[in-house]
Amino acid sequence: MSTAGKVIKCKAAVAWEIKKPLVIEDIEVAPPKAHEVRIKILATGICRTDDHVLSGAFAVPLPMVLGHEAAGVVESVGEGVTCVKPGDHVIPLFVPQCGNCNPCKSTRGNLCYQNDISHVRGLMPDGTSRFTCKGKSLHHFISTSSFTEYTVVHENAVVKIDAAAPLEKVCLIGCGFSTGYGAAVQTAKVERGSTCAVFGLGGVGLSAVMGCKAAGASRIFAVDINPKKFPKALEVGATECVNPLDYKKPINEVLYDLTDGEGVDYSLEVIGRTDTMAAALASCHENYGTSVIVGIAPSVSEICFNPLLLFTGRTWKGSVFGGWKSKDAIPKLVSDFMGKKFVLDPLITHTLPFEKINEGFDMLRSGKSIRTILTF
Ligand code: CND
Ligand code: ZN
């Protein structure tokens, strides 16, 4: 019996309050309105950004259905949707691509004005929600919401992918892999023979290491305070691992020492802390070094830094979703994965049934996991 046009009752992990576990609830998911798509989620990763909401660092309106790194199949579409049809395999886009706004039309950017990241409203573009639970409306998370059996997204925030691709792996192309890899190859524009330092070796940081390697960097320093992350970093392309806790000097001075006083050509902060963002900047070459902020710092934080760090010529940039224009890039990244141009397996340390989502978060927080994939 078709569910099209009807409210679907299903399970979702609801974030009711910060600093509390998610609660698996029965929710109602309304049918997609015009230009919207309802997706049956089949696999979703747990990214630190989801945890930033639960820790209170990333301020968003609650209650909310989190999750933004996913893959699934289209259940039904609203009026006027032509980009996907029921049965298509898709990845939801946490950075949409409307194709009409200035960033979409420019070759210089990817942060479509339809995004719900710079000022999180937690709603569909028309200002309403498609989720309810116990009579209360639930917020959507950054155009996606994937910790649920069914979600609704705007047609600008979904793209069709190769039906042969394994959804429990390519869901990582929806965030972690593409974000880290793109930050290196596209935002930093790492050059062949250059030296790089990646701060933070989670799913996103290891993907940045892969990007530095693919771009032909000759030295890639993998920086983390958890040495258990080092074997994996070496496996995906790091040439040296550095634990800041092993040194008395600040990590930027350590990296200067390790590069004969030059500093690295490219540094990427993939943690989400202001102190490591400042350290990453100070680690790169004083004249032509580039430092990229990938980690999401707490919403209320500020950085105090010496302007001479930039005066001498350094470049400081940020990178959302690896600088990719999501609709254009994701199908190509999926076919590159199918063509074995890069691997995703090293990023996936655990697979759990969706109901065990809180265990997945515990493993992320304790540093035991890289990516946990939840299956439905
Ligand atoms: P995850 O928590 O898996 O990795 C972070 C790593 O940093 C861990 O290995 C930690 O041990 C390490 N770490 C923590 N503190 C320090 C420190 N002081 N010095 C050195 N290493 C440290 O996180 P993730 O890989 O899922 O995400 C990383 C960040 O990227 C996080 O802030 C997340 O919110 C952000 C992000 C950004 C974007 C984007 O579009 N820019 C998309 N997704 C995630
Ligand atoms: Zn993410």
Side-chain angles (χ1 to χ4, degrees), residues 98-156:
C98 75
N100 297 318
C101 68
N102 282 338
C104 278
K105 285 194 275 189
S106 163
T107 54
R108 292 174 296 167
N110 72 326
L111 193 59
C112 170
Y113 285 156
Q114 294 292 321
N115 83 78
D116 197 33
I117 300 169
S118 20
H119 304 281
V120 181
R121 288 197 309 163
L123 296 167
M124 296 296 292
D126 74 351
T128 62
S129 165
R130 301 290 162 270
F131 301 128
T132 49
C133 178
K134 298 173 183 162
K136 285 202 182 83
S137 172
L138 306 175
H139 288 91
H140 293 248
F141 185 46
I142 52 175
S143 312
T144 48
S145 286
S146 60
F147 294 159
T148 170
E149 291 175 307
Y150 288 87
T151 191
V152 178
V153 302
H154 191 269
E155 64 178 342
N156 292 333

Side-chain angles (χ1 to χ4, degrees), residues 136-200:
K136 285 202 182 83
S137 172
L138 306 175
H139 288 91
H140 293 248
F141 185 46
I142 52 175
S143 312
T144 48
S145 286
S146 60
F147 294 159
T148 170
E149 291 175 307
Y150 288 87
T151 191
V152 178
V153 302
H154 191 269
E155 64 178 342
N156 292 333
V158 60
V159 71
K160 182 180 170 175
I161 57 162
D162 179 355
L167 300 181
E168 72 289 353
K169 294 183 183 179
V170 297
C171 58
L172 293 181
I173 292 175
C175 179
F177 172 77
S178 312
T179 298
Y181 193 87
V185 303
Q186 200 151 241
T187 309
K189 296 193 169 41
V190 169
E191 290 183 321
R192 189 155 291 281
S194 61
T195 53
C196 300
V198 176
F199 288 64

Side-chain angles (χ1 to χ4, degrees), residues 272-288:
R273 297 173 56 98
T274 52
D275 59 344
T276 43
M277 289 172 184
L281 175 67
S283 301
C284 71
H285 193 280
E286 68 169 354
N287 185 209
Y288 46 77

Side-chain angles (χ1 to χ4, degrees), residues 66-105:
L66 296 169
H68 62 283
E69 180 179 84
V73 55
V74 174
E75 174 270 337
S76 63
V77 299
E79 216 183 298
V81 173
T82 53
C83 61
V84 292
K85 57 180 189 316
D88 283 351
H89 287 204
V90 292
I91 288 183
L93 311 174
F94 79 86
V95 176
Q97 186 183 342
C98 75
N100 297 318
C101 68
N102 282 338
C104 278
K105 285 194 275 189

Side-chain angles (χ1 to χ4, degrees), residues 46-50 52 68-69 94-95 117 175-176 179 199-206 223-226 229 244 269-273 275-276 293-297 319-322 364 367 369-371:
I46 300 178
C47 172
R48 182 62 77 165
T49 307
D50 303 304
H52 286 331
H68 62 283
E69 180 179 84
F94 79 86
V95 176
I117 300 169
C175 179
T179 298
F199 288 64
L201 306 173
V204 186
L206 290 172
V223 180
D224 204 297
I225 52 171
N226 179 356
K229 304 283 174 118
E269 201 277 358
V270 202
I271 303 166
R273 297 173 56 98
D275 59 344
T276 43
I293 293 177
V294 184
I296 303 181
S319 179
V320 179
F321 192 56
L364 176 72
S369 59
I370 301 294
R371 275 302 198 257

